[in-house]
Amino acid sequence: MRTQVGIIGAGPAGLVLSHLLHLQGVESVVLENRSRQYCEERVRAGVLEQGTVDLLCETGVGERLKKEGLVHGGIELRFGGKGHRIDFRELTGGKTITIYGQSEVLKDLTNARLAAGGQIYFEVDDVSVHNFDGNEPKVLFTRNANPEELTCDFIAGCDGFHGICRPAVAKALTIYEREYPFGWLGILAEAPPSSEELIYAYHERGFALLSMRSPQLSRLYIQCAPDEDIQQWPDEKIWRELHKRLESTEGWKLIEGPVIQKGVSGMRSFVTEPMQYKNLFLAGDAAHIVPPTGAKGLNLAVADVRVLAQAITEFYKSGSRDQLNRYSEICLRRVWKVQRFSWWMTSMLHLFPDASAFDQKRQRAELDYVTSSRAAAESLAENYVGLPMA
Ligand code: FAD
Ligand code: DHB
């Protein structure tokens, strides 16, 4: 089998890349080791930046997003039992975020690709990448237990943090990394959201976040140990903790409902430099991970592949490798700014196990500052709705 771009991974990075390339007349094949159902049901990110929404809408995959996405003009920061609204619309000249689950984005993209005759192979095994330092890169894999070979001009490693592409070029990469001494325990509950907008709560028992997926579905998180045993958290205990951490002196009430999914995820900051080696390009979680507090993971993946799609298109149009050579440099400038923001939001809102009384006072001052100074609130808002794509 031959194609122009071999894409490993059918997550947001892989599918958006395949879609953007198709619109420019560039052919690709996407290889994914999980089933379509697994990819589409996995509960992950939920907040889309303005630029991500614009890109999906402008490229024809935003119809359901426009109908079902919940447009939010701000968020609440809650501490000391009181809410403080950060008004994105007012602070950014009209920009907003949209709540629309990653699973829904993936369904829309998969449908669009398949409807356009796109090739996505789910449930392939033993994927390995070869010859990417030459002109005839090759991807080997098995499908229905039969060995197959895909030759291409470029390989896009969109296979997430645990994929095979980054390890394949590890020798050429420098890794920058930080782990956090906590994780998030997240639930999806059949309960109408208790607030119209997201609530990020700082509390002496630890961080809590109220989010949502639809007018009937709440998504909630609490800070926990990085290796927290979910078995130790029956639903009643999770709700008890949420009530405490989201407590309000302003007459606000948390609405409960049946928990339909729960899980624990660890948190890290991670960047690989560069994000490319010869004809292999890394994008999304394969190249970087942010702690989830700024809701940036998916958005960053989309920003990467936008740059990559442009560079590949430019190559086929003019034969020039200039943009391809600069892919990493262009992406990393934005990646590091988003890393900074995600680290900052995480540091401001979580309880650090080793925090001194001084650290905690400083954290409260930070929250006070960001909710009382227009300059500080503007900076948060500008980053949250999304920095320019590139
Ligand atoms: P992925 O979505 O990871 O996609 C990679 C794809 O490659 C996967 O489908 C995987 O199955 C496939 N793959 C892996 N290895 C191979 C292989 N060897 N061969 C073939 N295919 C392979 N971000 C937020 O902003 N908010 C959140 O609430 C949030 N929650 C998250 C919860 C969890 C548990 C995790 C893991 C991440 C979460 N994220 C969240 C981050 C966000 O979901 C990611 O940043 C985003 O999915 C990145 O997209 P991607 O396409 O780069 O990678
Ligand atoms: C969600 C996840 C985040 O990491 C975040 O900062 C806000 C919302 C969510 O899953 O809805």
Side-chain angles (χ1 to χ4, degrees), residues 8-14 31-34 38-39 42-47 102 106 124 127 158-164 184 213 219 221 264-265 283-286 288-290 292 294-299 301:
I8 321 297
L31 301 175
E32 165 63 52
N33 61 3
R34 301 287 193 160
Y38 179 90
C39 292
R42 193 162 37 177
V43 183
R44 293 174 85 180
V47 177
Q102 178 165 333
L106 292 182
V124 301
V127 178
C158 301
D159 49 350
F161 187 65
H162 301 288
I164 51 100
W184 278 12
R213 286 294 176 272
R219 177 83 169 141
Y221 299 94
V264 168
S265 38
D285 279 13
H288 40 67
I289 295 285
V290 287
K296 291 296 174 209
L298 183 161
N299 296 292

Side-chain angles (χ1 to χ4, degrees), residues 170-228:
K171 270 191 278 178
L173 309 176
T174 304
I175 304 295
Y176 301 87
E177 190 171 19
R178 161 169 299 193
E179 291 211 22
Y180 296 85
F182 38 74
W184 278 12
L185 190 162
I187 61 168
L188 195 61
E190 282 174 339
S194 317
S195 158
E196 277 188 20
E197 294 179 341
L198 270 56
I199 303 174
Y200 286 82
Y202 173 87
H203 193 276
E204 56 263 26
R205 297 181 66 85
F207 170 72
L209 170 61
L210 182 147
S211 179
M212 62 210 67
R213 286 294 176 272
S214 74
Q216 296 81 34
L217 274 183
S218 293
R219 177 83 169 141
L220 298 130
Y221 299 94
I222 48 177
Q223 176 184 348
C224 61
D227 55 353
E228 193 78 46

Side-chain angles (χ1 to χ4, degrees), residues 169-337:
V169 290
K171 270 191 278 178
L173 309 176
T174 304
I175 304 295
Y176 301 87
E177 190 171 19
R178 161 169 299 193
E179 291 211 22
Y180 296 85
F182 38 74
W184 278 12
L185 190 162
I187 61 168
L188 195 61
E190 282 174 339
S194 317
S195 158
E196 277 188 20
E197 294 179 341
L198 270 56
I199 303 174
Y200 286 82
Y202 173 87
H203 193 276
E204 56 263 26
R205 297 181 66 85
F207 170 72
L209 170 61
L210 182 147
S211 179
M212 62 210 67
R213 286 294 176 272
S214 74
Q216 296 81 34
L217 274 183
S218 293
R219 177 83 169 141
L220 298 130
Y221 299 94
I222 48 177
Q223 176 184 348
C224 61
D227 55 353
E228 193 78 46
D229 178 7
I230 193 80
Q231 301 308 326
Q232 303 303 312
W233 285 86
D235 299 351
E236 309 76 59
K237 186 174 163 191
I238 299 174
W239 286 114
R240 258 202 318 276
E241 198 59 35
L242 281 164
H243 277 284
K244 286 182 190 155
R245 297 191 191 183
L246 288 162
E247 70 185 350
S248 163
T249 57
E250 299 171 314
W252 177 89
K253 287 270 173 306
L254 176 64
I255 304 168
E256 294 188 18
V259 173
I260 53 175
Q261 189 269 349
K262 59 180 163 182
V264 168
S265 38
M267 284 167 75
R268 69 173 81 226
S269 301
F270 179 99
V271 181
T272 173
E273 288 198 15
M275 290 166 54
Q276 65 193 87
Y277 178 73
K278 307 276 175 87
N279 286 320
L280 190 150
F281 298 84
L282 300 172
D285 279 13
H288 40 67
I289 295 285
V290 287
T293 325
K296 291 296 174 209
L298 183 161
N299 296 292
L300 206 47
V302 171
D304 286 350
V305 296
R306 188 167 173 269
V307 176
L308 186 54
Q310 270 170 4
I312 292 174
T313 302
E314 180 60 31
F315 171 79
Y316 285 116
K317 284 203 174 128
S318 70
S320 161
R321 291 190 68 103
D322 284 1
Q323 282 201 48
L324 279 172
N325 293 340
R326 294 187 52 231
Y327 164 71
S328 184
E329 177 196 330
I330 294 169
C331 288
L332 282 167
R333 269 190 79 192
R334 189 177 191 279
V335 165
W336 275 111
K337 283 181 236 173

